[in-house]
């Protein structure tokens, strides 16, 4: 039982040579039985070479896409291969605090929920703190999530079977947000551990950093979920309002 995999960690990576070692090491220091899938999405730098150095640990599986598939399908590859009861997501430029997975697995067991997220601390590109912590509610409902995406992908641990019900889709939108909405629409609630157990690097290349593009993607999510124009506009205004509050 001690060697049974509890969490399958999924880390898509593209040209992440500057940061991926820290991300990997933050996974390997977690104190739950785990496996780590690194999906290299046709990087042109030394990302795969650096990741490959950890394969001998016995807990790291390096997969390399034959063509660039994008982050959604890269994560789906990991979801399909996962042996753990839970899957966790971590971007290659972020990292975790120790005992993050332990605390979330405990929360999942206590509540019987299918998805758990955590708070996060925003970090500069060089890894130093921006001294900004974004917390999470202990309970997150579907209605709450429609108004603002309070669930950061790199903080999520969720049941593997539930991830396989929906998978991630639409890289051109917020693919993770669509997944959380689908999950909460069916299962009702997610639960949060309100501690900054995720260190979230504010990388310049992230698509959520381009505010105009991110706004268009957000509106596109509401339309994808089947909302009419007026309803989509209402939730978009809520999203914009909460977005201003989040980063104040």
């Amino acid at each position: 039982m001690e060697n049974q995999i509890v969490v399958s960690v999924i880390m898509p990576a593209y040209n992440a040579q500057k940061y991926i070692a820290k991300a990997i090491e933050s996974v390997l220091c977690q104190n739950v039985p785990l496996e780590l899938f690194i999906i290299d999405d046709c990087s042109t730098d030394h990302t795969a070479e650096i990741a490959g150095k950890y394969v001998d640990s016995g807990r790291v599986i390096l997969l390399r896409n034959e063509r660039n598939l994008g982050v959604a399908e890269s994560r789906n590859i990991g979801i399909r291969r996962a042996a753990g009861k839970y899957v966790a997501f971590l971007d290659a430029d972020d990292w975790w605090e120790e005992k993050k997975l332990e605390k979330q697995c405990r929360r999942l067991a206590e509540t019987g929920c299918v998805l758990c997220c955590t708070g996060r601390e925003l970090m500069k590109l060089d890894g130093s703190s921006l001294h900004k912590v974004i917390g999470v509610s202990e309970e997150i409902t579907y209605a709450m999530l429609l108004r603002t995406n309070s669930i950061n992908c790199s903080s999520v641990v969720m049941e593997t079977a539930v991830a396989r019900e929906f998978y991630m889709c639409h890289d051109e939108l917020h693919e993770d947000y669509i997944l959380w909405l689908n999950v909460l629409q069916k299962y009702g609630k997610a639960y949060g551990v309100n501690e900054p157990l995720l260190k979230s690097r504010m990388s310049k290349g992230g698509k959520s950093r381009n505010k105009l593009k991110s706004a268009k993607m957000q509106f596109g999510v509401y339309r994808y979920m089947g909302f009419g124009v007026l309803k989509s506009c209402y939730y978009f205004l809520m999203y914009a309002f909460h977005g201003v509050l989040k980063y104040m």
Side-chain angles (χ1 to χ4, degrees):
M1 186 70 177
E2 289 183 359
N3 295 322
Q4 183 176 349
I5 295 169
V6 175
V7 181
S8 298
V9 182
I10 299 168
M11 183 186 296
Y14 177 74
N15 288 352
Q17 65 178 15
K18 292 181 179 179
Y19 311 122
I20 194 169
K22 189 173 185 68
I24 294 170
E25 288 167 10
S26 79
V27 173
L28 296 181
C29 77
Q30 300 294 311
N31 57 338
V32 300
L34 59 81
E35 61 184 356
L36 168 59
F37 289 98
I38 301 171
I39 302 95
D40 177 56
D41 198 22
C42 297
S43 295
T44 57
D45 63 0
H46 298 291
T47 294
E49 179 183 339
I50 295 168
K53 295 177 180 178
Y54 293 90
V55 171
D56 289 343
S57 71
R59 294 189 289 170
V60 177
I61 302 97
L62 174 61
L63 306 173
R64 304 187 71 176
N65 295 339
E66 293 183 1
R67 58 185 178 86
N68 188 272
L69 298 176
V71 69
E73 186 54 33
S74 293
R75 290 190 186 119
N76 288 341
I77 289 169
I79 293 171
R80 294 186 189 102
R81 293 279 299 266
K85 178 179 180 180
Y86 303 114
V87 292
F89 303 105
L90 179 61
D91 289 346
D93 55 354
D94 295 335
W95 71 95
W96 291 336
E97 287 286 329
E98 293 183 14
K99 298 187 178 181
K100 173 187 179 289
L101 295 184
E102 177 188 4
K103 291 179 178 182
Q104 288 182 274
C105 288
R106 186 185 306 125
R107 185 80 166 135
L108 287 161
E110 290 171 350
T111 62
C113 69
V114 300
L115 190 154
C116 179
C117 59
T118 76
R120 57 186 165 128
E121 181 180 4
L122 303 184
M123 314 300 289
K124 298 177 185 177
L125 282 175
D126 64 7
S128 60
S129 178
L130 283 165
H131 304 290
K132 172 66 177 178
V133 170
I134 299 177
V136 291
S137 300
E138 291 191 0
E139 295 185 7
I140 302 167
T141 66
Y142 175 70
M144 291 166 63
L145 195 65
L146 282 173
R147 289 169 172 80
T148 180
N149 182 12
S150 56
I151 300 175
N152 185 275
C153 189
S154 285
S155 80
V156 166
V157 177
M158 67 183 299
E159 287 192 6
T160 303
V162 174
R164 287 175 178 156
E165 285 187 60
F166 301 104
Y167 289 99
M168 290 199 179
C169 63
H170 290 282
D171 250 334
E172 77 280 5
L173 302 175
H174 292 299
E175 72 289 331
D176 54 341
Y177 185 35
I178 291 172
L179 176 56
W180 318 148
L181 286 169
N182 283 329
V183 170
L184 266 62
Q185 190 173 42
K186 178 173 180 178
Y187 291 95
K189 290 181 181 178
Y191 285 80
V193 177
N194 192 22
E195 300 177 40
L197 301 174
L198 166 65
K199 305 303 180 184
S200 182
R201 206 184 302 259
M202 301 299 284
S203 56
K204 294 178 181 177
K207 60 187 180 182
S208 294
R209 295 285 284 164
N210 183 323
K211 297 306 179 186
L212 178 59
K213 181 178 180 181
S214 183
K216 291 179 179 178
M217 291 162 62
Q218 187 76 12
F219 189 81
V221 168
Y222 297 133
R223 297 291 283 154
Y224 173 80
M225 295 299 293
F227 298 163
V229 173
L230 289 178
K231 190 173 181 179
S232 296
C233 287
Y234 168 77
Y235 281 116
F236 180 80
L237 289 174
M238 292 296 101
Y239 150 81
F241 173 73
H242 287 285
V244 171
L245 292 181
K246 185 186 296 185
Y247 292 100
M248 283 181 64

